[in-house]
Each structure stands twice: as structure tokens, then as C-alpha cells.
Amino acid sequence: MKTFAVIGTGVIGNGWIARFLANGHRVHAFDPAPGAEEKTRTLLNDIWPTLAEYGTSEEATLDNLTFFETLEEAVESADLIQENVPEREDVKKSVLKQVDAATKPDAIIASSTSGYMPSVLQEACEHHPERVIVAHPFNPVYLIPLVEIAGGKQTDRAYMEKAQKLYDHMNMKPLMMSGEIDGHIGDRLMEALWRESLHIVNDGVATTEEVDKAIVYGPGLRWALMGPFMTLHLAGGNEGMRHMLEQFGPALKLPWTRLVAPELTEELSEKVIQGTSEQCGTVPVQDLEHRRDRFLIKLMDLLEEEGFWPSERLIAYERK
């Protein structure tokens, strides 16, 4: 049993708490916001049946969660500290500086940041910046297995590998990035699709529901199994990617996409807000979250049968 400290208990922080607890570990939490502990425990009670369905450790119990009144108390004995404070460079640096000064020297300090590079975040750490990494998850953290791990200029790779093993043991799929970049990998790809989606809605080409359908019933199905590169490799037939690039490569010069984001005017904002509101109807967000979680469990069970991790080489599948 390891001890994990979670600093910041918003949507992502609470997701980490659920993931750590479900795998039988102790969690020390800290969040100065009023009512933070109550909100966390309410969420955990709500999703615990889902986690039990997905599969929890024999040692898993909500009793392993302890909230502390100070950050220093929360991190001092932790093996890994997962930081989840708001996406502001000054705030993150300030918190990470406190963590670096308060925790044991060999503890891993991992930021869940969706945008900042680890080289930027570790600048504020005066004691052991070499153990600062980015470990960026995806919502809901307690179910989605991907965590992008990146090191900065001062990072000792041994800490990345140590973190990789810890996340792997919690039924996650750690992606060890070769380098570092703002937004990492997954968020940059999602951002590109999001920007194009906003242009399509802004130009009156489609509604938010039509955009969602275009992904859900089309490329989303293929991406869930193979990702963009392998999907296009198959589009090339027997010759694979080589033929695909010869056939469709010239289309890259056509003005199909407008990756610069459109101005988020009041009119565009209202289109998006009204559109998604109509899609939800009278169904509460909590019910939609439960539906999402049930679907994810079924989908991951199916992917497990097919080798589960689409970006890995297909050796494991062939061995079957």
C-alpha cells in the first residue's frame, strides 16, 4: 500500500482520489476551498458502485482517505504527490514550491496540468526539481486509463519510470512522452478538433448535435480502436499508409480546416450553450455522467478483448 497526496480536489483531483482508493492505497488530500471534503466524499459515495463494477482492489476502502488542514501535513509522508490546482502558472509554481520543500526527497511530484510543460513548473522548486514531472490524465480519471507522462529539462528519468510503474499498477496506460510540449499530446489533438467544431457551428454549417453525431457514428468508432494513424493506414488498402499518402496527401493543401480558433463572440457562445442544452434535454448532468461511465466500462471491456491499447504494436494480438 502506497500513500498518495492529492492537492486540489476539483473534478480532476477527485478523480485521482477515486482511482487511488479503488486500487487500495492511502490518500492524503488538501484543498483550502470551503466544503471541499464534503464535496469529495459525496462524489465518492456516488461513484463507488461504478468503481466496484469496474473492479476494485481487495484493500479498497473509502476509509483510506484523510483530509488535512495544511498542505505540508498532506504531503510529508507521501510517495507521490498529484497536484491539481487551477491552470495558472503563478498558482501552480507557488504550490509546487511548497510541496518541494515539505515532502520527502525521493517522493515523486506530478502535476496534472493540461497545458504547462514540466520545465516551466519545476523552475520554482529549489530543493529537488529533478523529481518534478507532468502526469496528465483524462476525465473521468477513475476510469479513463491514459496518463501522459513528461519530464522537463531538470527531470531525472528515473522518476518518470518510477511513476510509470505506479500508474501501471493502478490499471492505467502511462504514455511516456519523448519530449515536452505545451498541451502535451491528447489535449493538442482535442483542441484542433474543438476549434474546427466551433468554426462549423459559427458558420451555420451544422449544429452542436450534428457535429457530435459526425464523430460518434463515424471516425470516433475507429479512433477508439486504432487511433488516427492506424485508421488511415488501413484506408490505404494492402499498401497501407504509403498508398494513403499518395492518394490523399494532396488534400492537405486544400482549405478544409481553419485551425485558428474563431472569436468566441456572444452569438457563438449562445449557439454552443443552447445547442448542448437542447441535446441534454431535461436529463441531469449527473445522470449523463453515469451513462458515460457505464459506456466506458463496456467499451474498455471490448477493447480488452482486442488487445486494449490500440497504439501498441499488434504483437500481443498476433500471439493470441
Side-chain angles (χ1 to χ4, degrees):
M1 180 185 293
K2 299 286 186 180
T3 299
F4 295 86
V6 174
I7 308 303
T9 58
V11 173
I12 298 301
N14 282 334
W16 276 120
I17 289 175
R19 170 77 71 168
F20 296 150
L21 290 175
N23 283 273
H25 298 291
R26 285 184 295 266
V27 178
H28 293 177
F30 172 74
D31 192 319
E37 180 174 0
E38 181 181 357
K39 291 178 181 178
T40 295
R41 295 194 182 277
T42 298
L43 172 69
L44 290 173
N45 287 322
D46 182 50
I47 66 173
W48 201 250
T50 299
L51 291 171
E53 178 186 351
Y54 184 41
T56 56
S57 165
E58 292 182 359
E59 296 79 22
T61 170
L62 295 178
D63 293 336
N64 281 335
L65 172 62
T66 304
F67 266 77
F68 288 85
E69 294 186 0
T70 67
L71 179 148
E72 288 75 15
E73 290 177 305
V75 306
E76 62 182 358
S77 63
D79 300 295
L80 181 146
I81 297 87
Q82 195 78 43
E83 169 271 308
N84 316 278
V85 300
E87 286 289 304
R88 284 178 44 193
E89 183 178 333
D90 59 335
V91 174
K92 284 191 176 292
K93 281 186 172 181
S94 175
V95 168
L96 290 173
K97 182 177 181 179
Q98 295 177 62
V99 171
D100 181 45
T103 194
K104 55 187 182 182
D106 61 341
I108 302 167
I109 301 177
S111 174
S112 298
T113 179
S114 59
Y116 294 112
M117 293 189 294
S119 287
V120 173
L121 299 179
Q122 63 191 182
E123 291 173 351
C125 299
E126 302 171 351
H127 297 273
H128 296 283
E130 70 278 0
R131 43 63 177 281
V132 175
I133 65 171
V134 160
H136 172 238
F138 291 79
N139 187 48
V141 183
Y142 53 85
L143 288 181
I144 298 291
L146 179 62
V147 54
E148 297 174 326
I149 299 178
K153 295 176 182 177
Q154 301 181 70
T155 302
D156 183 338
R157 189 169 179 84
Y159 285 97
M160 294 176 61
E161 294 171 352
K162 186 177 176 182
Q164 180 186 28
K165 291 179 181 178
L166 286 175
Y167 293 125
D168 183 65
H169 288 161
M170 286 183 288
N171 201 28
M172 300 192 80
K173 289 291 182 178
L175 190 162
M176 298 284 276
M177 290 181 58
S178 301
E180 60 175 332
I181 189 171
D182 290 330
H184 323 310
I185 301 173
D187 275 1
R188 291 180 75 95
L189 296 174
M190 290 193 298
E191 179 72 9
L193 184 59
W194 170 238
R195 292 184 181 197
E196 194 63 26
S197 299
L198 287 175
H199 276 297
I200 289 173
V201 172
N202 191 47
D203 294 344
V205 176
T207 64
T208 59
E209 183 175 12
E210 289 165 350
V211 171
D212 285 348
K213 285 182 176 179
I215 296 299
V216 170
Y217 302 131
L221 293 172
R222 298 178 300 184
W223 290 341
L225 179 64
M226 293 188 171
F229 280 106
M230 283 298 293
T231 293
L232 292 176
H233 176 69
L234 268 61
N238 291 334
E239 297 180 44
M241 183 63 78
R242 182 180 300 279
H243 179 67
M244 197 288 301
L245 291 176
E246 292 174 352
Q247 186 78 4
F248 300 105
L252 292 173
K253 295 184 179 180
L254 298 176
W256 280 7
T257 61
R258 301 163 58 182
L259 291 183
V260 176
E263 183 180 353
L264 197 57
T265 62
E266 185 175 340
E267 180 182 5
L268 175 55
S269 295
E270 191 55 36
K271 281 185 179 180
V272 174
I273 294 169
Q274 184 64 28
T276 51
S277 177
E278 290 175 358
Q279 285 178 255
C280 294
T282 59
V283 181
V285 170
Q286 188 177 55
D287 289 354
L288 292 174
E289 290 174 338
H290 289 166
R291 181 188 181 196
R292 175 201 64 192
D293 291 353
R294 291 194 301 270
F295 172 80
L296 286 172
I297 290 174
K298 292 178 181 178
L299 179 60
M300 288 190 289
D301 284 343
L302 177 62
L303 291 176
E304 184 74 45
E305 296 177 13
E306 296 295 332
F308 190 73
W309 197 231
S311 64
E312 291 175 353
R313 294 184 177 89
L314 300 179
I315 296 175
Y317 177 77
E318 292 296 335
R319 286 175 178 167
K320 290 183 179 180

